[in-house]
Amino acid sequence: MAYNIFVLVKQVPDQGSKAGLNPDGTIDRARAKRMLNPFDRYALQAALHMKKAYGGSVTAISMGPPPAVEVLLEALEHGVDKGFLLSDRRLAASDTLATAYALYKTVEHVGEAVGKADIFFCGLQTTDGDTAQVGPQLAERLGLPQITYCEDFSIADDRKVHARRIIEGGVQRVITSMPVLVTVANSYHPLDYKSFRGAWRIQQLQRKQDELKKYIQTVDLDMIGADAERCGLKGSPTIVAHTEKVGEIGGNCTMHEGSAPENLVSEVMCQTTCKEFLLNLQQKTA
Amino acid sequence: MSEQDLSQFSPKGDVLVVAEQILGELQPVTMELLGAGRILADKMERQLKCVLLGYNITDLAPKLIEYGADIVYIADDPELYTYRTLPYRRVVCDFLESMKEPPHTALLGSTTTGRDLAPRIAAHFDTGLTADCTELDIGPYEHKSKVDPSKIGLYPNCLYAIRPSFGESLKARILGPWKNPQMATTRPGVMVPLKPDPNRQGKILKIPVVLKPEDYRLIVEETIREVSKGIKLTEADVIVSGGYGLGMKDGLDLIFQLSKCFENSAVGASRKIVDLGWIPYQHQVGQTGKTVRPKLYIACGISGAIQHRVGMSKSGLIIAINKDPDAPIFKFAHHGIVGDIYQIIPEMIKQFGQKQSESERGVEAVVSAH
């Protein structure tokens, strides 16, 4: 039974690199090093695992400025069959609601091109927005059940999805029918290394842009029939009205440095606050 | 506009908290949200409402009033016994639609449940939702941007949803006064609950539960609580946390060893190493992880980005170890040790272990002297 598997991926600035930081501490997204959202690696793994174990094809969908095509190429290298990028200037400053709307229209468009999805995989959240909202908001637009914080899943013979998801202080085992949207927790299996063959194939493809277009399509709002009023700043019910530097708190850190490790540690230990603290702690547990 | 002009605007709608219970136990984040919601409601001279879903949960309602709610709405139905996205979404959305005036503000906990439910509600109503707020407030806002002329204007009572912004030492104030309810979630442990007042008066009302066939598409087969014993971060007295400065996954062994020097301790982690898959998400401390307030927090190889800081800065005593003397964590730790983790931690295990047993003996001596 072949499944039509969609996976949503996003390109995010690499927080580890200092290259794209403005002097005031904000991110210069044009200069920042770009990467596949780390959480999406688990979604990608889930999608590819499903294809391998149960058969079907995987379509990766992304939204972002033109360089975001890089994450679709990366997905292709890992074994994804097709990629779609929604790229449009009018999407700038979209909040999660506007993003979910734009993705919803993209998903509908892609569904017409490659067939309706049986299952959607998303990362739990992105590292730049940090909201974990877009997955469930997309599920709402699509009118689908959702499995968030999914750690593991299997598909039964009756096409039901059996999944384990994280809840507060525990886990839950759930069963649902398809279509369904799944957000994958980072306790799921890490993404396999890309195969040499896959990477090589994509490298070859990149040399022939015409050939590449068969695998990765870029669409804009008009092509997917989206209402531009519901995208970008206009379609976003929230705005960032104000930012302020976070005041330094504390600021009276007692530093210990420049001597041997045992001295540094005993210096800390000899501090009255530490001594008192350890005593209090001990009294409480005694 | 003068202040007098402002007073003619009275906000529409009340403040609503969507309560959370698991197996008949109210989650602490609910009381915290009531504390925060009470302040917002008082500022606008509005009521604080609370909606609670579950089965056989009516006896929890008085507690919600003690913690600040004016009206508690109860949806009590066997189908709501365990949280499931679609039935809960149906009941909350129907309830909001049945209100004459939608709430001005709706607050949910940023738990696995709240993060599952809140975006569904926000998308259903096409309204704004801000995740993981560290502060909430009510205040004025004047929108001048001409991108969308229909949004221009002065809005005297907006929900200020404040959260640290990405990768930056900046706080962002996010708002959306154009549509009610203005929604936000906050992490457990961030907001402060009121002191419960058993004399507080409030109303308890039942609301209908009418589900549709499509709401039953997901079945919960089993709920297993407390599978990961030993990592109850929010209740630990001592947390030893590891970060990317460990350099490799195996370095976490040392973190676990050090945490074992203390009673009631737990191991935390920075997001970076959770992202890398070195340690499960449940260990993550920070804005998108757990907010913790242990008596002692030992940060090993954690640079101290704002996202981490908001999750642990209220710890009693913070000791940080980092090889970079300019690491931001030294700006808010109480004691900073500049050095190699792989030299410092073994030394700590040696000395902390010793000191603890010494102080233990000290306590025993005091007890026997009495």
Side-chain angles (χ1 to χ4, degrees), chain A residues 44-54 152-154 188-189:
Chain A
L44 209 47
Q45 176 68 14
L48 293 167
H49 163 76
M50 181 157 167
K51 177 185 167 181
K52 201 170 159 191
Y54 306 100
D152 207 1
F153 72 96
S154 60
Y188 187 74
H189 313 277

Side-chain angles (χ1 to χ4, degrees), chain A residues 58-109:
Chain A
V58 181
T59 306
I61 296 168
S62 190
M63 167 178 147
V69 78
E70 292 159 7
V71 295
L72 292 177
L73 283 167
E74 193 174 343
L76 251 57
E77 287 179 341
H78 280 281
V80 163
D81 300 286
K82 268 195 158 97
F84 284 84
L85 174 67
L86 171 65
S87 197
D88 198 306
R89 285 186 168 275
R90 291 169 288 178
L91 288 163
S94 293
D95 71 358
T96 61
L97 194 84
T99 301
Y101 168 75
L103 286 173
Y104 159 66
K105 295 303 284 186
T106 312
V107 160
E108 298 257 284
H109 173 82

Side-chain angles (χ1 to χ4, degrees), chain B residues 46-238:
Chain B
R46 292 275 140 180
Q47 287 192 308
L48 178 62
K49 295 173 170 176
C50 183
V51 59
L52 174 67
L53 287 71
Y55 182 48
N56 281 336
I57 37 119
T58 312
D59 55 331
L60 299 178
K63 190 172 172 188
L64 297 169
I65 293 170
E66 285 177 26
Y67 277 91
D70 297 314
I71 307 178
V72 178
Y73 297 91
I74 301 275
D76 198 323
D77 192 283
E79 286 296 338
L80 302 177
Y81 178 67
T82 312
Y83 171 77
R84 281 175 300 161
T85 315
L86 299 177
Y88 271 59
R89 169 208 165 277
R90 175 77 61 195
V91 172
V92 175
C93 289
D94 282 355
F95 167 62
L96 289 176
E97 272 162 8
S98 74
M99 295 171 104
K100 236 183 268 157
E101 185 66 56
H104 174 278
T105 290
L107 307 174
L108 287 91
S110 192
T111 57
T112 50
T113 298
R115 288 177 124 208
D116 189 87
L117 180 61
R120 302 276 320 211
I121 300 169
H124 178 78
F125 288 104
D126 278 319
T127 195
L129 168 64
T130 306
D132 304 341
C133 298
T134 48
E135 292 166 54
L136 296 171
D137 203 354
I138 296 285
Y141 170 65
E142 187 170 9
H143 192 74
K144 292 174 185 161
S145 161
K146 294 190 177 75
V147 176
D148 184 354
S150 70
K151 285 184 176 171
I152 293 174
L154 178 67
Y155 301 87
N157 285 288
C158 313
L159 174 68
Y160 289 178
I162 300 158
R163 71 192 301 256
S165 79
F166 161 68
E168 303 160 9
S169 46
L170 293 173
K171 275 196 300 191
R173 181 191 295 166
I174 296 167
L175 40 85
W178 302 281
K179 178 117 194 205
N180 287 349
Q182 301 168 41
M183 293 180 66
T185 66
T186 71
R187 285 261 157 200
V190 172
M191 298 296 161
V192 184
L194 301 176
K195 229 181 111 200
D197 174 3
N199 298 320
R200 264 191 63 90
Q201 296 295 310
K203 267 196 284 191
I204 300 169
L205 301 169
K206 287 229 168 193
I207 58 168
V209 176
V210 185
L211 301 181
K212 294 193 173 162
E214 61 263 34
D215 298 335
Y216 296 93
R217 279 176 287 177
L218 182 138
I219 304 160
V220 173
E221 207 182 4
E222 191 183 10
T223 300
I224 310 154
R225 300 268 290 158
E226 311 299 342
V227 279
S228 34
K229 265 214 147 58
I231 54 165
K232 286 211 88 180
L233 276 174
T234 46
E235 286 164 29
D237 284 327
V238 179

